């Protein structure tokens, strides 16, 4: 620890890489102490304003004093008060009261700690979603542009990571986009479903406020409504214990975990495509892929996304377990856990979205490699077309099938046992049996004839589902993102 008055060496203590290395300044601030305690003061102001409007003896001078000191926070005094009192909320009540001596008597009037604690958490969660949603929309927009550009480019499809029928580069990208569009809807729904805890008292019964207003139930209800509106929420939870139900946190982290799963799948696909040398993430001019192997072009951004997405997916276990052990109106074993998992979930989601945006803005496609891989596999896929063409030319289906079986096995042996290229079509051209269709082989092997409706699906999907989903985020797409690390 640094001696009193000395500046602490920040490099001499652990700092979470989520903040120090990766996350955006905006998301870091959203979960900062300054945002948290500044929000507490605003909530105390909202409460006092609403109580005054409903007839409690609170003066304009007291309100003005509170308004003038919302951001005048003496963090050193608050830390000293908390060390003495062992209570963070009362430490900040005393600190706020110190700079608001006229309002000191009415700060936190009738409230419990969760009035500021839980309501601030809900504001921060809402604001966190509002930061993530435009980032997610930007990623979808970038990938949509990529899908549109490569909607017609045939590529080898894979099932079980084995060669399958052709798709297109754009159609495969639409699989990624569709998952992200589901996540966009889920995040919007989770944000919009959030309610305010409101003004509920120590066990959620509003008894203290009923006493303040001398049994006037309508004023207590109006107090709850006024403070909820001041905080920017349309609704408050009608019933709470001391806290809002911790199932709310499950819903929040579940949609973020689902987003993590989507991004893990996308970036795994990109890593596999990089190994195939078909598509690569951006690679900077001076970037080093390996300290030992200078030729390496490792997909480090996609690997980072996968690494952090795994962390994001596991965090949902925390609120699941926390909600299950909240005895009666509440226990405090939720607090320390929530300080960690809620912030880390949003910070991690923020990081992987920024990284995926950077990836999607610089994806590099290698058409010649893609074409070569198609040429290696397409001859076998074309066998059914060859059979049908031969039958139309007067051939016998069973005889043709047997001829193709023999030739395809010979070609497969060249590929697997000798490491050569697939020469199946060369064998068909050399066999007189297939002379009736020799002139048609090129058209029978046109890759675009094997992609089905993939290009049309891309166009329809982008027009009818993707672009409309992005309309609320127009003007928030921003420019390209550059990763510092």
């Amino acid at each position: 620890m640094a001696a009193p008055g000395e500046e602490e060496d920040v490099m001499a203590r652990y700092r979470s890489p989520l903040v120090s290395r990766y996350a955006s300044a905006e998301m870091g601030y959203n979960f900062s102490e300054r945002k948290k305690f500044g929000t507490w003061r605003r909530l105390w102001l909202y409460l006092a304003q609403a109580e005054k409007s409903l007839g409690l003896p609170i003066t304009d001078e007291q309100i003005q004093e509170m308004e003038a000191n919302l951001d005048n926070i003496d963090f050193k005094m608050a830390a000293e008060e908390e060390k003495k009192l062992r209570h963070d909320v009362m430490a900040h009540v005393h600190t706020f009261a110190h700079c608001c001596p006229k309002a000191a008597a009415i700060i936190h009037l009738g409230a419990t700690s969760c009035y500021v604690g839980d309501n601030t958490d809900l504001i921060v969660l809402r604001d966190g979603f509002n930061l993530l949603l435009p980032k997610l929309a930007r990623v979808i927009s970038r990938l949509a542009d990529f899908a549109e550009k490569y909607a017609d480019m045939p590529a080898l499809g894979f099932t079980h990571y084995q060669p399958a029928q052709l798709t297109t580069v754009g159609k495969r990208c639409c699989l990624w986009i569709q998952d992200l569009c589901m996540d966009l809807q889920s995040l919007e729904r989770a944000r919009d479903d959030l309610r305010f805890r409101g003004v509920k008292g120590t066990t959620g019964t509003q008894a203290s406020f009923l006493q303040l207003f001398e049994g006037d139930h309508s004023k207590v209800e109006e107090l709850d409504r006024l403070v909820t509106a001041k905080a920017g929420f349309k609704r408050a939870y009608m019933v709470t214990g001391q806290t809002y139900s911790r199932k709310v946190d499950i819903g929040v982290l579940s949609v973020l975990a689902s987003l993590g799963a989507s991004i893990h799948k996308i970036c795994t696909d990109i890593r596999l495509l990089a190994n195939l040398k078909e598509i690569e993430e951006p690679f900077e001019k001076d970037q080093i892929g390996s300290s030992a192997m200078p030729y390496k072009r490792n997909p480090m951004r996609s690997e980072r996304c996968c690494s952090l997405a795994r962390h994001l997916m596991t965090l949902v276990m925390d609120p699941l377990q926390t909600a299950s052990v909240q005895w009666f109106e509440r226990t405090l074993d939720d607090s320390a856990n929530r300080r960690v998992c809620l912030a880390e979930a949003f910070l991690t989601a923020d990081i992987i979205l920024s990284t995926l945006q950077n990836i999607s803005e610089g994806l590099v496609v290698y058409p010649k490699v893609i074409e070569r891989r198609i040429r290696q596999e397409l001859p076998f896929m074309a066998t059914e077309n060859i059979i049908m063409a031969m039958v139309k030319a007067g051939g016998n289906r069973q005889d043709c099938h047997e001829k193709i079986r023999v030739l395809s096995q010979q070609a497969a042996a060249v590929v697997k046992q000798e490491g050569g290229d697939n020469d199946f079509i060369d064998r068909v051209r050399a066999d007189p049996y297939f002379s009736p269709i020799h002139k048609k082989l090129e058209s029978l092997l046109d890759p675009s004839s094997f992609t089905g409706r993939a290009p049309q699906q891309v166009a329809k999907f982008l027009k009818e589902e993707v672009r409309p989903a992005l309309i609320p985020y127009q003007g928030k797409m921003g420019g390209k993102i550059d990763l510092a690390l």
Side-chain angles (χ1 to χ4, degrees):
M1 297 291 291
E6 291 183 4
E7 186 175 341
E8 186 178 357
D9 181 5
V10 296
M11 303 305 288
R13 61 185 296 182
Y14 174 80
R15 295 181 299 159
S16 169
L18 294 177
V19 174
S20 66
R21 187 175 178 90
Y22 296 129
S24 68
E26 295 81 7
M27 191 62 79
Y29 174 75
N30 190 52
F31 287 92
S32 69
E33 299 286 87
R34 186 169 295 281
K35 166 79 176 273
K36 174 181 177 180
F37 298 128
T39 304
W40 284 12
R41 290 194 174 189
R42 283 163 177 77
L43 287 167
W44 282 320
L45 173 64
Y46 299 157
L47 180 63
Q49 288 173 329
E51 288 174 335
K52 178 181 181 299
S53 71
L54 292 169
L56 292 188
I58 297 172
T59 67
D60 289 337
E61 194 174 21
Q62 288 173 315
I63 296 294
Q64 291 164 5
E65 188 180 51
M66 293 174 73
E67 289 176 330
N69 287 281
L70 290 175
D71 297 309
N72 178 27
I73 303 175
D74 188 335
F75 289 99
K76 184 178 179 181
M77 174 185 285
E80 291 170 352
E81 287 287 330
E82 185 173 354
K83 186 175 181 181
K84 179 174 65 177
L85 301 174
R86 295 291 176 180
H87 198 289
D88 58 349
V89 173
M90 286 308 301
H92 278 270
V93 168
H94 288 185
T95 303
F96 196 18
H98 179 77
C99 59
C100 297
K102 295 174 183 175
I106 56 92
I107 293 173
H108 199 65
L109 182 60
T112 185
S113 297
C114 286
Y115 166 69
V116 289
D118 270 30
N119 282 325
T120 292
D121 286 345
L122 289 161
I123 290 170
V124 167
L125 295 179
R126 178 197 64 194
D127 293 352
F129 278 127
N130 284 335
L131 289 172
L132 291 180
L133 281 162
K135 288 176 179 276
L136 177 51
R138 283 196 290 271
V139 171
I140 294 170
S141 176
R142 304 305 194 260
L143 289 174
D145 292 342
F146 180 85
E148 190 170 50
K149 181 177 180 180
Y150 294 100
D152 300 327
M153 181 179 284
L156 185 64
F158 290 94
T159 57
H160 313 275
Y161 200 38
Q162 301 300 314
Q165 287 187 351
L166 301 192
T167 182
T168 69
V169 172
K171 170 62 190 305
R172 175 178 284 144
C173 184
C174 285
L175 298 179
W176 305 340
I177 295 170
Q178 181 166 253
D179 286 352
L180 294 176
C181 284
M182 292 180 189
D183 292 316
L184 188 72
Q185 292 176 340
S186 295
L187 264 65
E188 289 173 338
R189 183 169 56 249
R191 178 199 59 190
D192 296 343
D193 283 349
L194 285 174
R195 301 189 194 184
F196 205 50
R197 177 192 177 273
V199 184
K200 297 298 195 298
T202 55
T203 58
T205 64
Q206 298 177 305
S208 58
F209 297 104
L210 192 62
Q211 185 175 4
L212 277 175
F213 290 104
E214 299 179 347
D216 191 329
H217 289 267
S218 63
K219 285 191 174 181
V220 175
E221 289 186 1
E222 181 64 5
L223 178 71
D224 205 0
R225 189 195 67 77
L226 285 172
V227 174
T228 296
K230 286 176 181 291
F233 285 81
K234 295 179 180 178
R235 297 181 299 170
Y237 295 106
M238 293 185 69
V239 294
T240 71
Q242 189 172 91
T243 68
Y244 67 78
S245 171
R246 295 309 184 218
K247 283 186 72 68
V248 174
D249 296 340
I250 296 174
V252 169
L253 265 65
S254 291
V255 298
L256 296 181
S258 182
L259 172 65
S262 298
I263 294 179
H264 198 295
K265 183 265 192 294
I266 293 167
C267 290
T268 299
D269 282 357
I270 292 172
R271 291 165 65 189
L272 292 170
L273 289 167
N275 173 260
L276 297 174
K277 297 181 175 59
E278 292 191 9
I279 294 178
E280 287 182 342
E281 65 178 40
F283 197 88
E284 307 300 334
K285 178 177 179 291
D286 297 320
Q287 184 174 331
I288 294 175
S290 167
S291 61
M293 295 168 280
Y295 60 87
K296 292 289 288 296
R297 290 172 65 96
N298 299 329
M300 52 83 69
R301 292 170 174 83
S302 298
E303 290 173 313
R304 177 190 300 169
C305 283
C306 289
S307 181
L308 291 170
R310 286 201 297 274
H311 177 59
L312 178 55
M313 288 186 281
T314 63
L315 287 173
V316 72
M317 291 304 300
D318 278 337
L320 281 168
Q321 295 182 70
T322 294
S324 71
V325 295
Q326 286 301 288
W327 305 342
F328 303 112
E329 280 64 51
R330 83 86 51 100
T331 65
L332 196 60
D333 64 342
D334 63 337
S335 179
N337 185 287
R338 294 175 71 252
R339 288 175 190 266
V340 176
C341 70
L342 295 180
E344 288 203 353
F346 278 86
L347 289 165
T348 306
D350 179 73
I351 295 159
I352 59 178
L353 282 172
S354 294
T355 308
L356 184 56
Q357 180 185 337
N358 176 261
I359 293 169
S360 61
E361 288 172 346
L363 285 173
V364 181
V365 178
Y366 296 105
K368 296 299 182 183
V369 178
I370 294 172
E371 290 171 11
R372 183 178 184 276
R373 183 154 286 108
I374 289 173
R375 287 198 305 270
Q376 285 290 95
E377 302 295 339
L378 189 60
F380 292 152
M381 297 177 195
T383 55
E384 186 175 5
N385 287 3
I386 292 173
I387 291 174
M388 289 188 291
M390 282 294 294
V391 171
K392 288 180 181 178
N396 180 286
R397 192 262 177 200
Q398 315 321 324
D399 292 341
C400 185
H401 184 280
E402 178 59 20
K403 282 278 189 181
I404 287 177
R405 185 188 69 81
V406 173
L407 295 180
S408 62
Q409 289 186 1
Q410 292 171 353
V414 170
V415 173
K416 296 178 180 178
Q417 297 174 21
E418 301 175 19
D421 292 335
N422 188 333
D423 63 0
F424 172 73
I425 296 301
D426 292 335
R427 294 176 185 273
V428 170
R429 284 197 177 99
D431 192 325
Y433 175 81
F434 293 100
S435 58
I437 63 164
H438 280 168
K439 292 181 180 180
K440 296 181 179 179
L441 283 176
E442 287 300 323
S443 62
L444 292 174
L445 291 167
D446 179 7
S448 63
S449 68
F450 290 82
T451 58
R453 297 192 65 253
Q456 291 75 22
Q457 288 178 344
V458 171
K460 188 178 179 66
F461 175 60
L462 295 180
K463 179 182 178 181
E464 297 186 10
E465 292 196 23
V466 179
R467 304 296 186 191
L470 299 179
I471 289 174
Y473 304 96
Q474 295 300 324
K476 300 178 182 179
M477 294 302 177
K480 285 190 174 184
I481 192 167
D482 181 33
L483 296 183
L485 292 171

